[in-house]
Amino acid sequence: MPKNIQSLERAAAMLRLLAGGERRLGLSDIASSLELAKGTAHGILRTLQAEGFVEQDPASGRYQLGAELLRLGNSYLDVHELRARALVWTDDLARSSGESVHLGVLHQHGVLVIHHVFRPDDSRQVLEVGAMQPLHSTALGKVLSAYDPVAHSEALEVEREAFTPRTVTSLEDFEAVLDMTRARGWAADVEETWDGVASVAAPIHDRRRMPVGAVAITGAVERVCNGGGELRSELVAAVRDCARAVSRDLGAGRF
């Protein structure tokens, strides 16, 4: 059986120690509680502090949990609450549209699919939960990039690969796409990521009116688009209604 990494075990123990008390702890307190040499404890604390997991009070020199740890914890809770709140609405959206539905959140410079409802027919389909999608070309990614400042920054930092001849890659054109997305409240992907596939997505907001994810319908171009190559208006409306319903369940109120 592989051995655990001792430094990670010690860091985890340190975080649990700081989480268990109501006051800040000094270096000596932490070292003695964990039976560590002061130098070892200080090295771990310095690393955790650099990553934002621990903060040091400038006046007393004592340590407490950092804001980054809180952000990660809230992110975990938000994702699970988002999926739980969206289950019924995404099922209804797939049933009414006849297409597959994806729920996505920002993760590691891309979109992580956290829920996938199959197209309601007998065709063979692959579950895409856990799959990553690009920010710059997919409907889910464009919505997140348009409404979430962190996603926007990450979309600008990464290389915007041309997956098809229709993929928007230049910075100026991409920013124009995001402006359009914000103006109309939804994003489109018509053969920009996969040939023959079209998608429409809308943003989901939480009780703080912050964007926490996006929901999308995805299907064959001939079904999702009309004869002129434009997304079918009834599908756009259905996706936006679903996003609003989930947002309301998350406490966002009316949008």
Side-chain angles (χ1 to χ4, degrees):
M1 185 176 184
K3 292 183 178 180
N4 292 338
I5 300 174
Q6 188 180 54
S7 59
L8 292 181
E9 287 182 328
R10 288 172 171 175
M14 201 169 285
L15 293 174
R16 292 191 188 98
L17 178 65
L18 291 170
E22 296 181 0
R23 60 185 178 88
R24 298 183 181 99
L25 296 176
L27 175 59
S28 296
D29 300 323
I30 295 171
S32 60
S33 296
L34 299 178
E35 298 181 351
L36 296 174
K38 280 189 179 181
T40 301
H42 185 252
I44 296 172
L45 284 167
R46 190 171 60 246
T47 302
L48 291 173
Q49 186 178 1
E51 296 298 326
F53 296 135
V54 164
E55 295 174 356
Q56 186 179 30
D57 179 58
S60 67
R62 292 175 175 270
Y63 296 90
Q64 64 183 17
L65 293 181
E68 179 65 13
L69 197 63
L70 178 63
R71 187 190 70 81
L72 290 176
N74 284 339
S75 175
Y76 174 83
L77 293 174
D78 286 347
V79 166
H80 284 264
E81 183 180 8
L82 172 60
R83 185 179 182 278
R85 297 285 185 177
L87 287 176
V88 173
W89 299 109
T90 50
D91 282 349
D92 287 346
L93 180 59
R95 190 179 308 111
S96 64
S97 67
E99 301 295 341
S100 64
V101 174
H102 296 88
L103 193 66
V105 298
L106 177 65
H107 182 68
Q108 295 181 350
H109 300 282
V111 183
L112 174 66
V113 177
I114 64 170
H115 185 52
H116 175 199
V117 185
F118 282 167
R119 184 171 64 253
D121 59 20
D122 295 328
S123 63
R124 184 176 180 180
Q125 300 172 64
V126 177
L127 185 66
E128 296 180 25
V129 172
M132 293 292 294
Q133 296 186 3
L135 285 170
H136 70 285
S137 63
T138 62
L140 287 171
K142 291 176 191 175
V143 162
L144 292 174
S145 299
Y147 287 91
D148 185 337
V150 175
H152 180 242
S153 297
E154 293 188 355
L156 300 186
E157 291 172 2
V158 300
E159 179 184 356
R160 290 177 294 280
E161 181 181 350
F163 299 109
T164 75
R166 301 182 61 137
T167 308
V168 173
T169 57
S170 78
L171 177 58
E172 183 179 357
D173 291 343
F174 182 62
E175 290 286 17
V177 168
L178 299 188
D179 287 341
M180 182 187 302
T181 298
R182 285 185 286 267
R184 62 190 184 183
W186 54 275
D189 168 10
V190 181
E191 296 189 283
E192 293 179 52
T193 310
W194 302 282
D195 288 325
V197 178
S199 182
V200 55
I204 296 171
H205 298 81
D206 66 5
R207 61 185 62 85
R208 299 162 296 175
R209 293 188 173 247
M210 296 293 292
V212 293
V215 62
I217 283 175
T218 302
V221 170
E222 58 268 23
R223 296 195 307 267
V224 178
C225 297
N226 57 30
E230 299 292 325
L231 289 162
R232 288 165 50 196
S233 59
E234 65 270 25
L235 294 183
V236 174
V239 170
R240 299 190 69 190
D241 286 346
C242 178
R244 291 191 190 103
V246 178
S247 297
R248 285 196 299 270
D249 274 4
L250 289 170
R254 284 191 168 274
F255 267 83

